[in-house]
């Protein structure tokens, strides 16, 4: 149940950028000719090669996995600014984000596609670092890039680099896929860790806000934890990763299936720097983005086992039960820090920094 | 988190609530002035801990909410002017003017930038000498000293491309306006703690005696507010009306003399229209005549002078802002008026009472019950 370790941030292997003649991406690198071929062979294949990518097709034929007849499929696009932030970068985000979406279907992620939209003028060294990060993230999550596509757009048409990844995973036979419709009154809501670190880390990097102890994104693959839960035989009624919109939005989306969910504010872990930043900026950490957190809604009898299983992972050591499902209308309520209960609604619009 | 956690203790909150149940014998209506306090009350459910005889009503202390439509229209006009950069706090951007908001002005090509401080706007003026940089100076006495520092710095550095569209307002005249209103029901005030960190509370004594209302300078955490209410109710039950300071860890009687001196060097008291409340004498701050070169209204033309009223016919935000009704009593609340489609400013700003009620789900409670 141990995880693969990744090199620390900023780790740059000694090997130099393999496209020495071009310090920046040009339109010709997406033109289909020799420059594009060089880019693919010397950068992408060099770092990402595997049996599927080795087929050198625009598509890949993936062999079946015995005992897992059903396929889960997802896609997501990544447009983060800045491209590198404490705890991650757009490359690792593009891998883990899609891996996590598959994991929330209780699927074992196996292969991703990689679509890159590059802005003319993007530094080749930056692209090299991003592809290295993609390769490292794939190794950590145990997935491969099966096929890809590269486009270059004119300078000013995109913000450096946009990435799309689609992914497939296999669902073990006999496993009932988790879904909001399966949540039952009495179920426990297990949260895998503290909230808000990704949103605050990116916001701080973007705005140049500094902390005494820097906030690192919680970006991480969740498939290890979910596989462990499946192996333990824990009945997973619902799984949801907490991305944009945070815990508050995720709970509301689940509740719309026709149940009341209630959480206890005092039980929700939020780190000191994140709480401080939210207090200052006027954000509610319950709605701030995460990239490596999820909730598992499980029968009350399985809650303790669920917490222990998630807690055995480094990224899950703060896992705990934060609430439960109760009979009622589609609604989320929260017991406030000082006792009274209130509705925890969907966030309206964007969180804007407030005046005073 | 130090200085926060100890003011959010559930046990202590319960103890205060019990004490309030013990001392309250009559119906009392208390207004918290500041939008930050309103926000905390609804977020933590402080009003739900109180005995039924105590009603909290929410005051006009949301600077975004009370900024008059004429000044918002002026800001939009400035944003559309060639070479102009309109700098504003974020939550001002969605407040509807007479026909649109600053977000729309930006979408139509106006240069509108969100800043966290007037000093950020000053930096823009330094870095872009070709631009005419205007800071939309919104806020109570809390933010006015920083605006003053910015304009005085601009004068010292001869940054002639920097100017202010001043919408600063003062709290005490608004409290008097609330108390003078024919439909007033406010019997005691929780004064805005952060305003008093700057101004002190010397201005409140005359108001307390003239109108016979206790005024308690109060902080923003749940226990601050509960203690402020407790102090206020003790006075009401005794039949006295004095000024007390609950927020002693931040507020001195004289406030912050350095900040006040800065304000005095930059501003004079002027009459100002408040959105939803109308004109209030001596309730605003305007630039001193010797700083008129930094007054955006000198460069871009004066804002309309008429007294403002609320935007839409079915919006009762004027009544909400002076505590005559609660947000949920407005027929538009949560139906025609939501944060996505606000009819009035208190639904836009995160400090607005209507937005606080909406954000913390009070519009959905009937279905819960």
């Amino acid at each position: 149940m141990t995880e693969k370790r990744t090199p620390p941030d900023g780790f740059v292997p000694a090997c130099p950028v393999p496209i020495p003649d071009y310090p920046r991406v040009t339109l010709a690198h997406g033109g289909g000719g020799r420059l594009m071929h060089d880019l693919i062979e010397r950068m992408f294949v060099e770092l990402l090669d595997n049996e599927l990518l080795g087929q050198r097709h625009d598509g890949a034929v993936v062999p079946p996995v015995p005992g897992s007849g059903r396929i889960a499929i997802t896609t997501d696009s990544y447009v983060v600014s800045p491209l590198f932030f404490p705890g991650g970068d757009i490359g690792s985000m593009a891998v883990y984000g899609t891996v996590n979406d598959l994991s929330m279907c209780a699927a074992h992620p196996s292969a991703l596609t990689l679509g890159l939209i590059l802005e003319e003028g993007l530094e080749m060294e930056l692209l090299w670092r991003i592809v290295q990060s993609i390769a490292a993230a794939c190794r950590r999550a145990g997935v491969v890039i099966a096929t890809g596509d590269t486009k270059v757009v004119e300078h000013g048409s995109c913000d450096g680099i946009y990435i799309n990844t689609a992914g497939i995973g296999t669902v073990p036979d006999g496993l009932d896929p988790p879904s909001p419709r399966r949540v039952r009154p009495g179920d426990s809501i297990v949260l895998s860790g503290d909230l808000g670190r990704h949103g605050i880390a990116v916001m701080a990097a973007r705005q140049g806000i500094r902390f005494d102890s820097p906030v690192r994104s919680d970006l991480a693959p969740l498939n290890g934890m979910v596989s462990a839960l499946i192996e333990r035989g824990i009945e997973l009624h619902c799984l949801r990763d907490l991305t944009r919109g945070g815990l508050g939005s995720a709970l509301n989306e689940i509740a719309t299936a026709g149940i009341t969910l209630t959480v206890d504010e005092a039980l929700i872990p939020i780190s000191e720097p994140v709480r401080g930043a939210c207090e200052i900026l006027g954000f509610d950490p319950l709605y701030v983005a995460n990239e490596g957190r999820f909730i598992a809604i499980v029968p009350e009898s399985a809650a303790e086992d669920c917490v222990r299983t998630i807690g055995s992972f480094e990224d899950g050591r703060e896992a705990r039960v934060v609430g439960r499902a109760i009979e009622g209308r589609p609604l989320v309520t929260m017991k406030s820090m000082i006792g009274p209960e209130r509705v925890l609604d969907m966030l309206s619009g964007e969180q804007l920094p407030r005046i005073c | 988190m130090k200085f926060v956690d100890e003011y959010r203790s559930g046990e202590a909150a319960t103890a205060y609530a019990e004490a309030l149940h013990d001392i309250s014998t009559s119906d009392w209506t208390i207004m918290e002035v500041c939008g930050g306090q309103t926000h905390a009350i609804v977020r933590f459910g402080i009003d739900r801990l109180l005995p039924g005889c105590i009603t909290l009503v929410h005051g006009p202390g949301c600077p975004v909410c009370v900024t008059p439509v004429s000044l918002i229209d002026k800001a939009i006009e400035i944003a559309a002017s060639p070479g102009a950069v309109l700098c504003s706090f974020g939550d001002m951007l969605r407040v509807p003017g007479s026909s649109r908001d600053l977000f729309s002005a930006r979408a139509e090509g106006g240069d509108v930038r969100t800043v966290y401080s007037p000093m950020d706007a000053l930096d823009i003026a330094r870095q872009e000498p070709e631009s005419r940089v205007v800071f939309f100076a919104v806020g109570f006495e809390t933010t006015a000293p920083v605006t003053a520092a910015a304009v005085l710095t601009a004068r010292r550095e001869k940054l002639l491309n920097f100017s202010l569209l001043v919408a600063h307002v003062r709290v005490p005249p608004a409290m008097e306006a609330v108390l003078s209103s024919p439909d007033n029901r406010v019997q005691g005030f929780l004064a805005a703690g952060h305003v008093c960190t700057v101004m002190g509370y010397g201005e409140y004594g005359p108001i307390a005696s003239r109108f016979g209302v206790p005024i308690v300078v109060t902080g923003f955490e749940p226990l601050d507010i509960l203690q402020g209410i407790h102090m206020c109710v003790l006075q009401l039950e005794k039949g006295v009306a004095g000024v007390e300071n609950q927020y002693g860890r931040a507020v001195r009687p004289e406030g912050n003399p350095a900040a006040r001196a800065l304000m005095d060097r930059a501003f004079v008291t002027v009459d100002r229209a408040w959105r939803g409340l109308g004109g209030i004498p001596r309730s605003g701050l305007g630039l001193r005549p010797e700083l008129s070169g930094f007054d955006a209204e000198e460069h871009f033309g004066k804002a309309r002078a008429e007294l403002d009223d609320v935007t839409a016919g079915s919006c009762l935000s004027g009544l909400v802002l002076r505590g005559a009704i609660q947000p949920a009593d407005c027929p538009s609340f949560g139906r025609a008026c939501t944060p996505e489609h606000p009819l009035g400013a208190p639904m836009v700003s995160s400090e607005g009472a209507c937005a606080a009620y909406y954000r913390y789900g009070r519009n959905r409670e009937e279905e819960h019950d």
Side-chain angles (χ1 to χ4, degrees):
Chain A
M1 222 182 279
T2 52
E3 285 182 278
K4 290 176 184 168
R5 298 301 172 98
T6 48
D9 280 347
F11 171 80
V12 181
C15 50
V17 185
I19 316 277
D21 312 340
Y22 288 90
R24 290 175 184 275
V25 172
T26 69
L27 283 174
H29 284 112
R34 179 157 299 282
L35 282 183
M36 180 164 139
H37 180 79
D38 272 4
L39 185 70
I40 291 172
E41 287 299 323
R42 292 160 78 171
M43 194 177 275
F44 303 145
V45 174
E46 169 71 21
L47 288 173
L48 304 171
D49 201 20
N50 61 75
E51 218 166 286
L52 297 175
L53 196 62
Q55 296 171 9
R56 296 289 200 285
H57 266 309
D58 278 346
V61 178
V62 181
V65 175
S68 296
R70 289 168 298 173
I71 302 284
I73 180 166
T74 187
T75 183
D76 214 335
S77 300
Y78 301 86
V79 294
V80 68
S81 167
L83 298 173
F84 290 79
F85 47 84
D89 62 90
I90 190 169
S92 45
M93 238 177 106
V95 173
Y96 296 150
T98 295
V99 161
N100 293 349
D101 284 349
L102 292 168
S103 303
M104 295 303 111
C105 305
H108 295 301
S110 52
L112 309 186
T113 67
L114 176 67
L116 300 174
I117 296 175
L118 310 177
E119 184 184 11
E120 178 190 19
L122 175 72
E123 286 169 47
M124 204 58 90
E125 196 259 333
L126 213 60
L127 179 61
W128 178 234
R129 281 170 58 201
I130 291 168
V131 179
Q132 284 176 324
S133 168
I134 291 172
C138 284
R139 282 194 298 275
R140 181 173 175 200
V143 295
V144 296
I145 301 295
T147 184
D149 176 61
T150 308
K151 296 280 187 298
V152 180
V153 295
E154 282 178 23
H155 180 68
S157 307
C158 103
D159 190 7
I161 175 171
Y162 296 156
I163 302 181
N164 172 275
T165 55
I168 54 168
T170 53
V171 183
D173 293 344
L175 183 85
D176 210 353
S179 148
R181 287 193 305 277
R182 291 184 58 207
V183 177
R184 294 286 166 266
D187 282 358
S188 297
I189 303 170
V190 176
L191 171 62
S192 74
D194 67 321
L195 294 183
R197 287 208 267 124
H198 178 73
I200 296 299
V202 170
M203 168 90 185
R206 196 181 292 167
Q207 305 284 351
I209 300 169
R210 282 188 292 272
F211 300 99
D212 289 343
S213 45
V215 176
R216 289 170 60 82
S217 168
D218 58 332
L219 179 64
L222 299 172
N223 53 331
M225 295 185 212
V226 172
S227 294
L229 292 172
I230 293 170
E231 275 165 34
R232 290 284 304 167
I234 291 169
E235 208 180 314
L236 300 169
H237 284 172
C238 186
L239 295 173
R240 186 62 59 104
D241 58 339
L242 310 177
T243 52
R244 266 180 311 176
L247 177 68
S249 303
L251 290 172
N252 272 282
E253 283 161 21
I254 295 167
T256 50
I259 194 145
T260 297
L261 301 176
T262 181
V263 292
D264 188 337
E265 188 173 22
L267 297 178
I268 298 171
I270 298 163
S271 73
E272 288 274 307
V274 168
R275 287 177 59 201
C278 285
E279 285 293 327
I280 290 166
L281 297 169
F283 293 158
D284 187 337
L286 298 181
Y287 298 100
V288 174
N290 310 271
E291 283 293 339
R293 296 286 178 259
F294 71 108
I295 49 173
I297 304 185
V298 300
E300 193 183 3
S301 56
E304 207 186 306
D305 198 1
C306 181
V307 168
R308 216 176 17 240
T309 304
I310 297 172
S312 67
F313 286 77
E314 176 67 17
D315 289 320
R317 60 182 192 278
E318 287 199 69
R320 66 191 70 179
V321 174
V322 295
R324 62 200 179 91
I326 52 177
E327 186 79 49
R329 288 163 164 272
L331 195 70
V332 181
T333 66
M334 182 169 81
K335 182 169 170 274
S336 98
M337 210 76 94
I338 62 164
E341 194 169 84
R342 68 169 165 90
V343 174
L344 185 66
D345 206 356
M346 281 279 193
L347 186 66
S348 310
E350 272 192 77
Q351 299 205 79
L352 293 170
R354 66 167 184 237
I355 289 185
C356 61
Chain B
M1 193 158 45
K2 189 131 178 66
F3 302 122
V4 173
D5 291 339
E6 53 271 58
Y7 297 98
R8 293 182 183 176
S9 145
E11 271 174 44
T14 308
Y16 263 110
E18 284 167 0
L20 274 163
H21 280 269
D22 291 344
I23 61 168
S24 308
T25 61
S26 314
D27 289 345
W28 301 117
T29 299
I30 298 170
M31 172 178 276
E32 85 281 355
V33 170
C34 176
Q37 293 165 332
T38 309
H39 189 83
I41 287 166
V42 189
R43 173 178 171 194
F44 292 99
I46 295 168
D47 50 339
R48 306 247 148 109
L49 292 176
L50 302 178
C53 60
I54 298 176
T55 305
L56 291 182
V57 294
H58 317 303
C62 159
V64 168
C65 303
V66 300
T67 299
V69 174
S70 55
L71 281 175
I72 295 170
D73 286 348
K74 192 73 218 174
I76 292 168
E77 193 190 315
I78 291 171
S81 308
V85 178
L86 194 280
C87 302
S88 169
F89 294 130
D91 47 0
M92 209 58 226
L93 301 194
R94 277 196 300 140
V95 182
S98 60
S99 65
R100 58 208 174 112
D101 58 24
L102 281 165
F103 262 134
S104 327
R106 179 154 80 184
E108 288 160 21
D111 195 343
V112 179
R113 302 189 200 174
T114 305
V115 293
Y116 291 85
S117 155
M119 294 305 178
D120 297 344
L122 212 55
D123 278 340
I124 296 172
R126 288 189 191 104
Q127 287 154 14
E128 302 178 24
E130 304 304 313
S131 301
R132 298 189 289 169
V133 179
V134 179
F135 177 67
F136 194 5
V138 171
F140 288 104
E141 296 93 327
T142 340
T143 47
V146 193
T147 310
V151 71
L152 294 170
T153 306
R155 181 172 65 178
R156 197 173 58 241
E157 296 183 14
K158 300 191 172 55
L159 279 172
L160 300 178
N161 63 331
F162 177 82
S163 64
L164 297 174
L165 180 62
V166 184
H168 282 302
V169 277
R170 300 173 57 228
V171 166
M175 289 165 68
E176 289 179 288
V178 166
L179 291 169
S180 308
S181 158
D183 53 6
N184 172 53
R185 52 180 181 148
V186 176
Q187 295 163 294
F189 273 112
L190 307 184
H194 288 160
V195 167
C196 298
T197 57
V198 175
M199 300 303 292
Y201 44 89
E203 296 171 285
Y204 296 128
I207 301 176
S209 6
R210 181 176 153 210
F211 293 94
V213 292
I215 300 176
V216 181
V217 177
T218 303
F220 297 83
E221 290 300 325
L223 286 185
D224 287 325
I225 293 169
L226 281 163
Q227 191 181 25
I229 296 168
H230 188 257
M231 289 163 78
C232 196
V233 170
L234 275 179
Q235 286 201 47
L236 287 165
E237 290 284 343
K238 280 190 215 151
V240 295
V243 179
E244 288 183 283
N245 182 13
Q246 179 280 327
Y247 202 31
R249 69 183 185 280
V251 173
R252 286 171 293 183
E254 72 283 9
N256 179 335
R260 290 175 67 178
L262 270 178
M263 283 168 68
D264 287 343
R265 283 172 57 201
F267 297 122
V268 288
T269 302
V270 297
D271 297 345
R272 172 90 72 224
W274 291 51
R275 188 176 196 151
L277 298 179
I280 304 178
R282 301 179 53 75
S283 67
L285 296 173
L287 280 172
R288 299 190 77 90
E290 61 269 29
L291 289 167
S292 63
F294 296 94
D295 187 345
E297 289 187 74
E298 296 290 327
H299 298 285
F300 296 90
K302 293 273 180 209
R304 290 189 320 273
E306 76 262 32
L307 297 181
D308 284 272
D309 210 338
V310 290
T311 320
S314 56
C315 171
L316 302 182
S317 58
L319 296 176
V320 173
L321 284 167
R322 55 177 195 268
I325 63 168
Q326 301 285 35
D329 299 335
C330 173
S332 302
F333 174 76
R335 298 182 181 91
C337 183
T338 63
E340 287 82 10
H341 299 285
L343 296 182
M347 188 55 103
V348 177
S349 167
S350 58
E351 303 287 311
C354 300
Y357 270 57
Y358 192 91
R359 181 172 182 181
Y360 297 120
R362 299 246 166 146
N363 57 313
R364 296 190 63 196
E365 289 189 343
E366 278 170 32
E367 50 183 286
H368 181 40
D369 299 336

